[in-house]
Amino acid sequence: DVKVTQSSRYLVKRTGEKVFLECVQDMDHENMFWYRQDPGLGLRLIYFSYDVKMKEKGDIPEGYSVSREKKERFSLILESASTNQTSMYLCASSLGQAHSPLHFGNGTRLTVT
Amino acid sequence: DQQVKQNSPSLSVQEGRISILNCDYTNSMFDYFLWYKKYPAEGPTFLISISSIKDKNEDGRFTVFLNKSAKHLSLHIVPSQPGDSAVYFCAASLYGGGGADGLTFGKGTHLIIQP
């Protein structure tokens, strides 16, 4: 069974802090994704990666960056956290082939004060 | 502009009856569609999918119907059970589904199964 693990369930950070959200998957998946979920807005894609050291912008990349130094690990970085980045962040992974569903972690609830 | 739309934020259904969740899309390049189920404090879990070359896919109590001409799909749950109470997300993909381009999600429908 695929396991996608997000390092923190809850985080509270101050405005202007640099924030790291970590995600690890154990199924050797090629693709990894970061989404955020907000009430009334559903899930929106921030960044994704289809290979080590490769990254692509999703629909809402502003204010975020990512790092994928190893195949199993995908990090989301908030360079200078702002209150509008308070959200539920969801990491996902999938095989690099057609019709592969995304497998999600349990999410990190980030609050920026 | 939203490419995948779930126009019902919530839906209440009696236990044992049929639940029908609807989803519309605008991008005719989408060729693969998925439904995810999400419980509070958990990540979404994959439920069922359908390719654009089909109009129906069934898995146990869950059936997804696709009407390409109307750009509409629906998820039917029969019979509905209390454990089906969750938020359901419709998602769509370009060029083969779940690939490196990710998925475009709707806003979700909160399904409540009443005893």
Side-chain angles (χ1 to χ4, degrees), chain A residues 9 31 33 35 37 40-43 45 48 50 94 98-102 104-106, chain B residues 32 34 36 38 41-44 46 89 96-103 105-107:
Chain A
R9 290 303 300 270
N31 303 324
F33 308 84
Y35 286 85
Q37 182 193 1
L41 295 177
L43 278 71
L45 182 63
F48 61 96
Y50 53 88
S94 72
H99 301 176
S100 297
L102 269 61
F104 283 87
N106 282 335
Chain B
Y32 195 70
L34 306 89
Y36 280 81
K38 186 180 184 301
E42 293 184 12
F46 169 69
F89 290 100
D101 59 302
L103 296 174
F105 284 86
K107 292 183 179 181

PDB file of all heavy atoms in Angstrom, chain A residues 9 31 33 35 37 40-43 45 48 50 94 98-102 104-106, chain B residues 32 34 36 38 41-44 46 89 96-103 105-107:
ATOM      1  N   ARG A   9       1.492  17.451  11.081  1.00  0.00           N
ATOM      2  CA  ARG A   9       0.040  17.566  10.902  1.00  0.00           C
ATOM      3  C   ARG A   9      -0.411  19.009  11.100  1.00  0.00           C
ATOM      4  O   ARG A   9      -1.320  19.475  10.418  1.00  0.00           O
ATOM      5  CB  ARG A   9      -0.697  16.665  11.891  1.00  0.00           C
ATOM      6  CG  ARG A   9      -0.575  15.194  11.622  1.00  0.00           C
ATOM      7  CD  ARG A   9      -1.043  14.795  10.228  1.00  0.00           C
ATOM      8  NE  ARG A   9      -2.439  15.115   9.959  1.00  0.00           N
ATOM      9  CZ  ARG A   9      -3.450  14.301  10.207  1.00  0.00           C
ATOM     10  NH1 ARG A   9      -3.256  13.128  10.752  1.00  0.00           N
ATOM     11  NH2 ARG A   9      -4.691  14.661   9.906  1.00  0.00           N
ATOM     12  N   ASN A  31       6.215  10.889  -9.988  1.00  0.00           N
ATOM     13  CA  ASN A  31       5.584  12.206  -9.895  1.00  0.00           C
ATOM     14  C   ASN A  31       5.220  12.553  -8.457  1.00  0.00           C
ATOM     15  O   ASN A  31       4.732  11.712  -7.700  1.00  0.00           O
ATOM     16  CB  ASN A  31       4.297  12.240 -10.723  1.00  0.00           C
ATOM     17  CG  ASN A  31       4.521  11.884 -12.172  1.00  0.00           C
ATOM     18  OD1 ASN A  31       5.542  12.215 -12.754  1.00  0.00           O
ATOM     19  ND2 ASN A  31       3.561  11.201 -12.762  1.00  0.00           N
ATOM     20  N   PHE A  33       3.466  15.992  -6.045  1.00  0.00           N
ATOM     21  CA  PHE A  33       2.659  17.193  -6.186  1.00  0.00           C
ATOM     22  C   PHE A  33       2.449  17.861  -4.835  1.00  0.00           C
ATOM     23  O   PHE A  33       2.396  17.189  -3.807  1.00  0.00           O
ATOM     24  CB  PHE A  33       1.266  16.835  -6.748  1.00  0.00           C
ATOM     25  CG  PHE A  33       1.291  16.000  -8.002  1.00  0.00           C
ATOM     26  CD1 PHE A  33       1.424  14.623  -7.926  1.00  0.00           C
ATOM     27  CD2 PHE A  33       1.167  16.599  -9.245  1.00  0.00           C
ATOM     28  CE1 PHE A  33       1.449  13.842  -9.084  1.00  0.00           C
ATOM     29  CE2 PHE A  33       1.183  15.818 -10.406  1.00  0.00           C
ATOM     30  CZ  PHE A  33       1.321  14.456 -10.311  1.00  0.00           C
ATOM     31  N   TYR A  35      -0.529  20.421  -3.290  1.00  0.00           N
ATOM     32  CA  TYR A  35      -1.795  21.130  -3.427  1.00  0.00           C
ATOM     33  C   TYR A  35      -2.083  21.882  -2.134  1.00  0.00           C
ATOM     34  O   TYR A  35      -1.585  21.522  -1.066  1.00  0.00           O
ATOM     35  CB  TYR A  35      -2.950  20.145  -3.654  1.00  0.00           C
ATOM     36  CG  TYR A  35      -3.033  19.521  -5.023  1.00  0.00           C
ATOM     37  CD1 TYR A  35      -2.294  18.381  -5.340  1.00  0.00           C
ATOM     38  CD2 TYR A  35      -3.872  20.053  -5.996  1.00  0.00           C
ATOM     39  CE1 TYR A  35      -2.388  17.799  -6.595  1.00  0.00           C
ATOM     40  CE2 TYR A  35      -3.976  19.465  -7.258  1.00  0.00           C
ATOM     41  CZ  TYR A  35      -3.226  18.341  -7.538  1.00  0.00           C
ATOM     42  OH  TYR A  35      -3.335  17.763  -8.784  1.00  0.00           O
ATOM     43  N   GLN A  37      -5.644  23.141   0.029  1.00  0.00           N
ATOM     44  CA  GLN A  37      -7.104  23.025   0.069  1.00  0.00           C
ATOM     45  C   GLN A  37      -7.653  24.138   0.938  1.00  0.00           C
ATOM     46  O   GLN A  37      -7.257  24.287   2.101  1.00  0.00           O
ATOM     47  CB  GLN A  37      -7.537  21.678   0.647  1.00  0.00           C
ATOM     48  CG  GLN A  37      -9.042  21.492   0.669  1.00  0.00           C
ATOM     49  CD  GLN A  37      -9.497  20.328   1.509  1.00  0.00           C
ATOM     50  OE1 GLN A  37      -8.701  19.633   2.126  1.00  0.00           O
ATOM     51  NE2 GLN A  37     -10.799  20.099   1.531  1.00  0.00           N
ATOM     52  N   GLY A  40     -14.355  26.264   0.032  1.00  0.00           N
ATOM     53  CA  GLY A  40     -14.986  26.925  -1.103  1.00  0.00           C
ATOM     54  C   GLY A  40     -14.116  27.012  -2.341  1.00  0.00           C
ATOM     55  O   GLY A  40     -14.584  27.478  -3.384  1.00  0.00           O
ATOM     56  N   LEU A  41     -12.871  26.574  -2.245  1.00  0.00           N
ATOM     57  CA  LEU A  41     -11.964  26.655  -3.396  1.00  0.00           C
ATOM     58  C   LEU A  41     -11.460  25.296  -3.860  1.00  0.00           C
ATOM     59  O   LEU A  41     -10.811  25.197  -4.899  1.00  0.00           O
ATOM     60  CB  LEU A  41     -10.767  27.553  -3.059  1.00  0.00           C
ATOM     61  CG  LEU A  41     -11.082  29.015  -2.794  1.00  0.00           C
ATOM     62  CD1 LEU A  41      -9.821  29.770  -2.396  1.00  0.00           C
ATOM     63  CD2 LEU A  41     -11.713  29.679  -4.032  1.00  0.00           C
ATOM     64  N   GLY A  42     -11.716  24.255  -3.090  1.00  0.00           N
ATOM     65  CA  GLY A  42     -11.266  22.926  -3.483  1.00  0.00           C
ATOM     66  C   GLY A  42      -9.764  22.777  -3.369  1.00  0.00           C
ATOM     67  O   GLY A  42      -9.104  23.427  -2.551  1.00  0.00           O
ATOM     68  N   LEU A  43      -9.195  21.906  -4.198  1.00  0.00           N
ATOM     69  CA  LEU A  43      -7.757  21.652  -4.196  1.00  0.00           C
ATOM     70  C   LEU A  43      -7.129  22.383  -5.377  1.00  0.00           C
ATOM     71  O   LEU A  43      -7.582  22.253  -6.510  1.00  0.00           O
ATOM     72  CB  LEU A  43      -7.471  20.158  -4.336  1.00  0.00           C
ATOM     73  CG  LEU A  43      -7.550  19.292  -3.079  1.00  0.00           C
ATOM     74  CD1 LEU A  43      -8.979  19.134  -2.616  1.00  0.00           C
ATOM     75  CD2 LEU A  43      -6.928  17.942  -3.331  1.00  0.00           C
ATOM     76  N   LEU A  45      -3.420  23.244  -7.390  1.00  0.00           N
ATOM     77  CA  LEU A  45      -2.066  22.742  -7.581  1.00  0.00           C
ATOM     78  C   LEU A  45      -1.047  23.868  -7.465  1.00  0.00           C
ATOM     79  O   LEU A  45      -1.140  24.877  -8.173  1.00  0.00           O
ATOM     80  CB  LEU A  45      -1.961  22.065  -8.954  1.00  0.00           C
ATOM     81  CG  LEU A  45      -0.623  21.441  -9.316  1.00  0.00           C
ATOM     82  CD1 LEU A  45      -0.254  20.306  -8.361  1.00  0.00           C
ATOM     83  CD2 LEU A  45      -0.669  20.923 -10.760  1.00  0.00           C
ATOM     84  N   PHE A  48       4.540  20.840  -9.079  1.00  0.00           N
ATOM     85  CA  PHE A  48       4.709  19.399  -9.202  1.00  0.00           C
ATOM     86  C   PHE A  48       6.076  19.080  -9.764  1.00  0.00           C
ATOM     87  O   PHE A  48       6.776  19.969 -10.282  1.00  0.00           O
ATOM     88  CB  PHE A  48       3.590  18.759 -10.032  1.00  0.00           C
ATOM     89  CG  PHE A  48       3.491  19.246 -11.453  1.00  0.00           C
ATOM     90  CD1 PHE A  48       4.090  18.539 -12.480  1.00  0.00           C
ATOM     91  CD2 PHE A  48       2.762  20.379 -11.767  1.00  0.00           C
ATOM     92  CE1 PHE A  48       3.978  18.965 -13.794  1.00  0.00           C
ATOM     93  CE2 PHE A  48       2.632  20.808 -13.075  1.00  0.00           C
ATOM     94  CZ  PHE A  48       3.244  20.104 -14.090  1.00  0.00           C
ATOM     95  N   TYR A  50       8.186  15.768 -11.871  1.00  0.00           N
ATOM     96  CA  TYR A  50       8.097  14.475 -12.538  1.00  0.00           C
ATOM     97  C   TYR A  50       9.421  13.712 -12.500  1.00  0.00           C
ATOM     98  O   TYR A  50       9.550  12.628 -13.056  1.00  0.00           O
ATOM     99  CB  TYR A  50       7.591  14.623 -13.978  1.00  0.00           C
ATOM    100  CG  TYR A  50       8.362  15.617 -14.799  1.00  0.00           C
ATOM    101  CD1 TYR A  50       9.499  15.232 -15.512  1.00  0.00           C
ATOM    102  CD2 TYR A  50       7.958  16.951 -14.875  1.00  0.00           C
ATOM    103  CE1 TYR A  50      10.202  16.142 -16.261  1.00  0.00           C
ATOM    104  CE2 TYR A  50       8.666  17.867 -15.624  1.00  0.00           C
ATOM    105  CZ  TYR A  50       9.782  17.462 -16.316  1.00  0.00           C
ATOM    106  OH  TYR A  50      10.483  18.373 -17.059  1.00  0.00           O
ATOM    107  N   SER A  94       2.381   9.918  -7.677  1.00  0.00           N
ATOM    108  CA  SER A  94       1.787   8.981  -8.627  1.00  0.00           C
ATOM    109  C   SER A  94       2.882   8.373  -9.485  1.00  0.00           C
ATOM    110  O   SER A  94       3.984   8.935  -9.618  1.00  0.00           O
ATOM    111  CB  SER A  94       0.745   9.671  -9.516  1.00  0.00           C
ATOM    112  OG  SER A  94       1.372  10.525 -10.462  1.00  0.00           O
ATOM    113  N   ALA A  98       0.294   6.797 -17.668  1.00  0.00           N
ATOM    114  CA  ALA A  98      -1.082   7.243 -17.844  1.00  0.00           C
ATOM    115  C   ALA A  98      -2.019   6.502 -16.898  1.00  0.00           C
ATOM    116  O   ALA A  98      -1.807   5.334 -16.561  1.00  0.00           O
ATOM    117  CB  ALA A  98      -1.512   7.017 -19.289  1.00  0.00           C
ATOM    118  N   HIS A  99      -3.050   7.210 -16.489  1.00  0.00           N
ATOM    119  CA  HIS A  99      -4.129   6.642 -15.681  1.00  0.00           C
ATOM    120  C   HIS A  99      -3.671   6.218 -14.291  1.00  0.00           C
ATOM    121  O   HIS A  99      -4.272   5.349 -13.681  1.00  0.00           O
ATOM    122  CB  HIS A  99      -4.815   5.468 -16.384  1.00  0.00           C
ATOM    123  CG  HIS A  99      -5.400   5.835 -17.707  1.00  0.00           C
ATOM    124  ND1 HIS A  99      -5.986   4.929 -18.555  1.00  0.00           N
ATOM    125  CD2 HIS A  99      -5.484   7.017 -18.355  1.00  0.00           C
ATOM    126  CE1 HIS A  99      -6.403   5.551 -19.638  1.00  0.00           C
ATOM    127  NE2 HIS A  99      -6.104   6.806 -19.547  1.00  0.00           N
ATOM    128  N   SER A 100      -2.615   6.809 -13.803  1.00  0.00           N
ATOM    129  CA  SER A 100      -2.169   6.519 -12.442  1.00  0.00           C
ATOM    130  C   SER A 100      -2.804   7.507 -11.484  1.00  0.00           C
ATOM    131  O   SER A 100      -2.555   8.711 -11.593  1.00  0.00           O
ATOM    132  CB  SER A 100      -0.650   6.636 -12.357  1.00  0.00           C
ATOM    133  OG  SER A 100      -0.035   5.692 -13.179  1.00  0.00           O
ATOM    134  N   PRO A 101      -3.613   7.047 -10.556  1.00  0.00           N
ATOM    135  CA  PRO A 101      -4.235   7.994  -9.627  1.00  0.00           C
ATOM    136  C   PRO A 101      -3.215   8.577  -8.661  1.00  0.00           C
ATOM    137  O   PRO A 101      -2.173   7.983  -8.399  1.00  0.00           O
ATOM    138  CB  PRO A 101      -5.261   7.123  -8.884  1.00  0.00           C
ATOM    139  CG  PRO A 101      -4.740   5.743  -8.985  1.00  0.00           C
ATOM    140  CD  PRO A 101      -4.014   5.658 -10.301  1.00  0.00           C
ATOM    141  N   LEU A 102      -3.543   9.740  -8.147  1.00  0.00           N
ATOM    142  CA  LEU A 102      -2.709  10.372  -7.131  1.00  0.00           C
ATOM    143  C   LEU A 102      -2.991   9.740  -5.775  1.00  0.00           C
ATOM    144  O   LEU A 102      -4.134   9.456  -5.430  1.00  0.00           O
ATOM    145  CB  LEU A 102      -3.004  11.870  -7.057  1.00  0.00           C
ATOM    146  CG  LEU A 102      -2.175  12.788  -7.943  1.00  0.00           C
ATOM    147  CD1 LEU A 102      -2.368  12.460  -9.395  1.00  0.00           C
ATOM    148  CD2 LEU A 102      -2.499  14.242  -7.654  1.00  0.00           C
ATOM    149  N   PHE A 104      -2.521  10.596  -1.813  1.00  0.00           N
ATOM    150  CA  PHE A 104      -2.306  11.778  -0.990  1.00  0.00           C
ATOM    151  C   PHE A 104      -1.825  11.423   0.412  1.00  0.00           C
ATOM    152  O   PHE A 104      -2.168  10.366   0.965  1.00  0.00           O
ATOM    153  CB  PHE A 104      -3.610  12.565  -0.842  1.00  0.00           C
ATOM    154  CG  PHE A 104      -3.977  13.368  -2.047  1.00  0.00           C
ATOM    155  CD1 PHE A 104      -4.711  12.802  -3.078  1.00  0.00           C
ATOM    156  CD2 PHE A 104      -3.599  14.703  -2.158  1.00  0.00           C
ATOM    157  CE1 PHE A 104      -5.057  13.537  -4.199  1.00  0.00           C
ATOM    158  CE2 PHE A 104      -3.947  15.453  -3.276  1.00  0.00           C
ATOM    159  CZ  PHE A 104      -4.668  14.867  -4.289  1.00  0.00           C
ATOM    160  N   GLY A 105      -1.058  12.339   1.003  1.00  0.00           N
ATOM    161  CA  GLY A 105      -0.772  12.292   2.420  1.00  0.00           C
ATOM    162  C   GLY A 105      -1.951  12.852   3.209  1.00  0.00           C
ATOM    163  O   GLY A 105      -2.957  13.296   2.627  1.00  0.00           O
ATOM    164  N   ASN A 106      -1.830  12.869   4.536  1.00  0.00           N
ATOM    165  CA  ASN A 106      -2.936  13.325   5.380  1.00  0.00           C
ATOM    166  C   ASN A 106      -2.991  14.830   5.571  1.00  0.00           C
ATOM    167  O   ASN A 106      -3.893  15.343   6.228  1.00  0.00           O
ATOM    168  CB  ASN A 106      -2.881  12.642   6.741  1.00  0.00           C
ATOM    169  CG  ASN A 106      -3.418  11.223   6.671  1.00  0.00           C
ATOM    170  OD1 ASN A 106      -4.217  10.889   5.797  1.00  0.00           O
ATOM    171  ND2 ASN A 106      -2.964  10.372   7.564  1.00  0.00           N
TER     172      ASN A 106
ATOM    173  N   TYR B  32      -9.565  12.207 -18.992  1.00  0.00           N
ATOM    174  CA  TYR B  32      -9.626  11.202 -17.931  1.00  0.00           C
ATOM    175  C   TYR B  32     -10.178  11.894 -16.707  1.00  0.00           C
ATOM    176  O   TYR B  32      -9.794  13.026 -16.392  1.00  0.00           O
ATOM    177  CB  TYR B  32      -8.219  10.659 -17.667  1.00  0.00           C
ATOM    178  CG  TYR B  32      -8.185   9.386 -16.878  1.00  0.00           C
ATOM    179  CD1 TYR B  32      -8.631   8.188 -17.436  1.00  0.00           C
ATOM    180  CD2 TYR B  32      -7.682   9.351 -15.588  1.00  0.00           C
ATOM    181  CE1 TYR B  32      -8.584   7.010 -16.717  1.00  0.00           C
ATOM    182  CE2 TYR B  32      -7.639   8.177 -14.868  1.00  0.00           C
ATOM    183  CZ  TYR B  32      -8.085   7.015 -15.444  1.00  0.00           C
ATOM    184  OH  TYR B  32      -8.034   5.845 -14.733  1.00  0.00           O
ATOM    185  N   LEU B  34     -11.653  11.482 -12.536  1.00  0.00           N
ATOM    186  CA  LEU B  34     -11.535  10.695 -11.318  1.00  0.00           C
ATOM    187  C   LEU B  34     -12.427  11.292 -10.244  1.00  0.00           C
ATOM    188  O   LEU B  34     -12.723  12.491 -10.243  1.00  0.00           O
ATOM    189  CB  LEU B  34     -10.083  10.700 -10.802  1.00  0.00           C
ATOM    190  CG  LEU B  34      -8.980  10.265 -11.765  1.00  0.00           C
ATOM    191  CD1 LEU B  34      -8.435  11.439 -12.565  1.00  0.00           C
ATOM    192  CD2 LEU B  34      -7.843   9.600 -10.999  1.00  0.00           C
ATOM    193  N   TYR B  36     -12.558  11.473  -5.985  1.00  0.00           N
ATOM    194  CA  TYR B  36     -11.852  11.255  -4.738  1.00  0.00           C
ATOM    195  C   TYR B  36     -12.811  11.507  -3.587  1.00  0.00           C
ATOM    196  O   TYR B  36     -13.718  12.337  -3.665  1.00  0.00           O
ATOM    197  CB  TYR B  36     -10.660  12.213  -4.612  1.00  0.00           C
ATOM    198  CG  TYR B  36      -9.451  11.788  -5.383  1.00  0.00           C
ATOM    199  CD1 TYR B  36      -9.356  12.035  -6.755  1.00  0.00           C
ATOM    200  CD2 TYR B  36      -8.393  11.145  -4.761  1.00  0.00           C
ATOM    201  CE1 TYR B  36      -8.242  11.642  -7.471  1.00  0.00           C
ATOM    202  CE2 TYR B  36      -7.267  10.750  -5.473  1.00  0.00           C
ATOM    203  CZ  TYR B  36      -7.204  11.003  -6.820  1.00  0.00           C
ATOM    204  OH  TYR B  36      -6.096  10.613  -7.523  1.00  0.00           O
ATOM    205  N   LYS B  38     -12.937  12.358   0.626  1.00  0.00           N
ATOM    206  CA  LYS B  38     -12.091  12.909   1.677  1.00  0.00           C
ATOM    207  C   LYS B  38     -12.855  12.987   2.996  1.00  0.00           C
ATOM    208  O   LYS B  38     -13.894  13.644   3.086  1.00  0.00           O
ATOM    209  CB  LYS B  38     -11.582  14.297   1.283  1.00  0.00           C
ATOM    210  CG  LYS B  38     -10.575  14.853   2.284  1.00  0.00           C
ATOM    211  CD  LYS B  38     -10.099  16.228   1.876  1.00  0.00           C
ATOM    212  CE  LYS B  38      -9.008  16.726   2.828  1.00  0.00           C
ATOM    213  NZ  LYS B  38      -9.439  16.809   4.225  1.00  0.00           N
ATOM    214  N   ALA B  41      -9.576  15.650   8.317  1.00  0.00           N
ATOM    215  CA  ALA B  41      -8.244  15.361   8.874  1.00  0.00           C
ATOM    216  C   ALA B  41      -7.526  14.226   8.153  1.00  0.00           C
ATOM    217  O   ALA B  41      -6.558  13.665   8.686  1.00  0.00           O
ATOM    218  CB  ALA B  41      -8.317  15.062  10.365  1.00  0.00           C
ATOM    219  N   GLU B  42      -7.997  13.861   6.963  1.00  0.00           N
ATOM    220  CA  GLU B  42      -7.289  12.873   6.158  1.00  0.00           C
ATOM    221  C   GLU B  42      -7.106  13.416   4.748  1.00  0.00           C
ATOM    222  O   GLU B  42      -7.826  14.319   4.321  1.00  0.00           O
ATOM    223  CB  GLU B  42      -8.075  11.563   6.073  1.00  0.00           C
ATOM    224  CG  GLU B  42      -8.191  10.822   7.384  1.00  0.00           C
ATOM    225  CD  GLU B  42      -8.903   9.491   7.207  1.00  0.00           C
ATOM    226  OE1 GLU B  42      -9.099   9.044   6.062  1.00  0.00           O
ATOM    227  OE2 GLU B  42      -9.279   8.905   8.246  1.00  0.00           O
ATOM    228  N   GLY B  43      -6.142  12.844   4.017  1.00  0.00           N
ATOM    229  CA  GLY B  43      -5.999  13.223   2.622  1.00  0.00           C
ATOM    230  C   GLY B  43      -7.060  12.568   1.765  1.00  0.00           C
ATOM    231  O   GLY B  43      -7.667  11.572   2.161  1.00  0.00           O
ATOM    232  N   PRO B  44      -7.316  13.101   0.568  1.00  0.00           N
ATOM    233  CA  PRO B  44      -8.284  12.474  -0.336  1.00  0.00           C
ATOM    234  C   PRO B  44      -7.815  11.077  -0.736  1.00  0.00           C
ATOM    235  O   PRO B  44      -6.616  10.833  -0.874  1.00  0.00           O
ATOM    236  CB  PRO B  44      -8.283  13.404  -1.557  1.00  0.00           C
ATOM    237  CG  PRO B  44      -7.719  14.696  -1.062  1.00  0.00           C
ATOM    238  CD  PRO B  44      -6.748  14.332   0.007  1.00  0.00           C
ATOM    239  N   PHE B  46      -8.473   7.940  -3.609  1.00  0.00           N
ATOM    240  CA  PHE B  46      -9.019   7.650  -4.929  1.00  0.00           C
ATOM    241  C   PHE B  46     -10.199   6.692  -4.821  1.00  0.00           C
ATOM    242  O   PHE B  46     -10.139   5.700  -4.087  1.00  0.00           O
ATOM    243  CB  PHE B  46      -7.922   7.043  -5.804  1.00  0.00           C
ATOM    244  CG  PHE B  46      -8.415   6.469  -7.101  1.00  0.00           C
ATOM    245  CD1 PHE B  46      -8.900   7.295  -8.098  1.00  0.00           C
ATOM    246  CD2 PHE B  46      -8.399   5.103  -7.307  1.00  0.00           C
ATOM    247  CE1 PHE B  46      -9.354   6.770  -9.288  1.00  0.00           C
ATOM    248  CE2 PHE B  46      -8.847   4.563  -8.494  1.00  0.00           C
ATOM    249  CZ  PHE B  46      -9.336   5.392  -9.488  1.00  0.00           C
ATOM    250  N   PHE B  89     -14.618  14.898  -4.286  1.00  0.00           N
ATOM    251  CA  PHE B  89     -14.017  15.784  -5.276  1.00  0.00           C
ATOM    252  C   PHE B  89     -14.012  15.112  -6.639  1.00  0.00           C
ATOM    253  O   PHE B  89     -13.591  13.967  -6.779  1.00  0.00           O
ATOM    254  CB  PHE B  89     -12.573  16.123  -4.898  1.00  0.00           C
ATOM    255  CG  PHE B  89     -12.443  17.018  -3.701  1.00  0.00           C
ATOM    256  CD1 PHE B  89     -12.140  16.499  -2.455  1.00  0.00           C
ATOM    257  CD2 PHE B  89     -12.612  18.390  -3.826  1.00  0.00           C
ATOM    258  CE1 PHE B  89     -12.003  17.323  -1.345  1.00  0.00           C
ATOM    259  CE2 PHE B  89     -12.486  19.225  -2.729  1.00  0.00           C
ATOM    260  CZ  PHE B  89     -12.190  18.695  -1.484  1.00  0.00           C
ATOM    261  N   GLY B  96      -4.259  11.581 -20.412  1.00  0.00           N
ATOM    262  CA  GLY B  96      -3.985  10.265 -19.855  1.00  0.00           C
ATOM    263  C   GLY B  96      -4.088  10.122 -18.351  1.00  0.00           C
ATOM    264  O   GLY B  96      -3.909   9.051 -17.829  1.00  0.00           O
ATOM    265  N   GLY B  97      -4.348  11.183 -17.616  1.00  0.00           N
ATOM    266  CA  GLY B  97      -4.736  10.961 -16.228  1.00  0.00           C
ATOM    267  C   GLY B  97      -3.630  10.811 -15.214  1.00  0.00           C
ATOM    268  O   GLY B  97      -2.810   9.906 -15.324  1.00  0.00           O
ATOM    269  N   GLY B  98      -3.601  11.682 -14.210  1.00  0.00           N
ATOM    270  CA  GLY B  98      -2.710  11.500 -13.074  1.00  0.00           C
ATOM    271  C   GLY B  98      -1.250  11.593 -13.423  1.00  0.00           C
ATOM    272  O   GLY B  98      -0.381  11.301 -12.625  1.00  0.00           O
ATOM    273  N   GLY B  99      -0.991  12.050 -14.606  1.00  0.00           N
ATOM    274  CA  GLY B  99       0.402  12.101 -15.039  1.00  0.00           C
ATOM    275  C   GLY B  99       1.111  13.318 -14.518  1.00  0.00           C
ATOM    276  O   GLY B  99       0.674  13.956 -13.570  1.00  0.00           O
ATOM    277  N   ALA B 100       2.178  13.670 -15.125  1.00  0.00           N
ATOM    278  CA  ALA B 100       3.029  14.718 -14.601  1.00  0.00           C
ATOM    279  C   ALA B 100       2.367  16.079 -14.611  1.00  0.00           C
ATOM    280  O   ALA B 100       2.876  16.997 -13.995  1.00  0.00           O
ATOM    281  CB  ALA B 100       4.327  14.766 -15.383  1.00  0.00           C
ATOM    282  N   ASP B 101       1.219  16.219 -15.274  1.00  0.00           N
ATOM    283  CA  ASP B 101       0.570  17.527 -15.290  1.00  0.00           C
ATOM    284  C   ASP B 101      -0.375  17.704 -14.114  1.00  0.00           C
ATOM    285  O   ASP B 101      -0.936  18.763 -13.924  1.00  0.00           O
ATOM    286  CB  ASP B 101      -0.213  17.710 -16.595  1.00  0.00           C
ATOM    287  CG  ASP B 101      -1.268  16.642 -16.779  1.00  0.00           C
ATOM    288  OD1 ASP B 101      -0.908  15.450 -16.783  1.00  0.00           O
ATOM    289  OD2 ASP B 101      -2.448  16.987 -16.910  1.00  0.00           O
ATOM    290  N   GLY B 102      -0.547  16.670 -13.296  1.00  0.00           N
ATOM    291  CA  GLY B 102      -1.419  16.797 -12.147  1.00  0.00           C
ATOM    292  C   GLY B 102      -2.882  16.728 -12.534  1.00  0.00           C
ATOM    293  O   GLY B 102      -3.241  16.428 -13.673  1.00  0.00           O
ATOM    294  N   LEU B 103      -3.741  16.979 -11.589  1.00  0.00           N
ATOM    295  CA  LEU B 103      -5.179  16.935 -11.784  1.00  0.00           C
ATOM    296  C   LEU B 103      -5.781  18.304 -11.496  1.00  0.00           C
ATOM    297  O   LEU B 103      -5.269  19.059 -10.678  1.00  0.00           O
ATOM    298  CB  LEU B 103      -5.813  15.914 -10.837  1.00  0.00           C
ATOM    299  CG  LEU B 103      -5.418  14.444 -11.018  1.00  0.00           C
ATOM    300  CD1 LEU B 103      -6.024  13.605  -9.907  1.00  0.00           C
ATOM    301  CD2 LEU B 103      -5.861  13.939 -12.375  1.00  0.00           C
ATOM    302  N   PHE B 105      -9.067  19.901  -9.915  1.00  0.00           N
ATOM    303  CA  PHE B 105     -10.133  19.468  -9.024  1.00  0.00           C
ATOM    304  C   PHE B 105     -11.293  20.457  -9.015  1.00  0.00           C
ATOM    305  O   PHE B 105     -11.102  21.676  -9.196  1.00  0.00           O
ATOM    306  CB  PHE B 105      -9.607  19.355  -7.594  1.00  0.00           C
ATOM    307  CG  PHE B 105      -8.776  18.139  -7.340  1.00  0.00           C
ATOM    308  CD1 PHE B 105      -7.419  18.132  -7.618  1.00  0.00           C
ATOM    309  CD2 PHE B 105      -9.336  16.996  -6.799  1.00  0.00           C
ATOM    310  CE1 PHE B 105      -6.638  17.014  -7.389  1.00  0.00           C
ATOM    311  CE2 PHE B 105      -8.572  15.867  -6.552  1.00  0.00           C
ATOM    312  CZ  PHE B 105      -7.219  15.878  -6.849  1.00  0.00           C
ATOM    313  N   GLY B 106     -12.488  19.919  -8.747  1.00  0.00           N
ATOM    314  CA  GLY B 106     -13.625  20.762  -8.425  1.00  0.00           C
ATOM    315  C   GLY B 106     -13.548  21.181  -6.961  1.00  0.00           C
ATOM    316  O   GLY B 106     -12.624  20.798  -6.232  1.00  0.00           O
ATOM    317  N   LYS B 107     -14.546  21.966  -6.530  1.00  0.00           N
ATOM    318  CA  LYS B 107     -14.527  22.494  -5.166  1.00  0.00           C
ATOM    319  C   LYS B 107     -15.026  21.489  -4.138  1.00  0.00           C
ATOM    320  O   LYS B 107     -14.876  21.694  -2.944  1.00  0.00           O
ATOM    321  CB  LYS B 107     -15.372  23.757  -5.091  1.00  0.00           C
ATOM    322  CG  LYS B 107     -14.781  24.925  -5.860  1.00  0.00           C
ATOM    323  CD  LYS B 107     -15.630  26.182  -5.690  1.00  0.00           C
ATOM    324  CE  LYS B 107     -15.000  27.343  -6.447  1.00  0.00           C
ATOM    325  NZ  LYS B 107     -15.781  28.589  -6.288  1.00  0.00           N
TER     326      LYS B 107
END
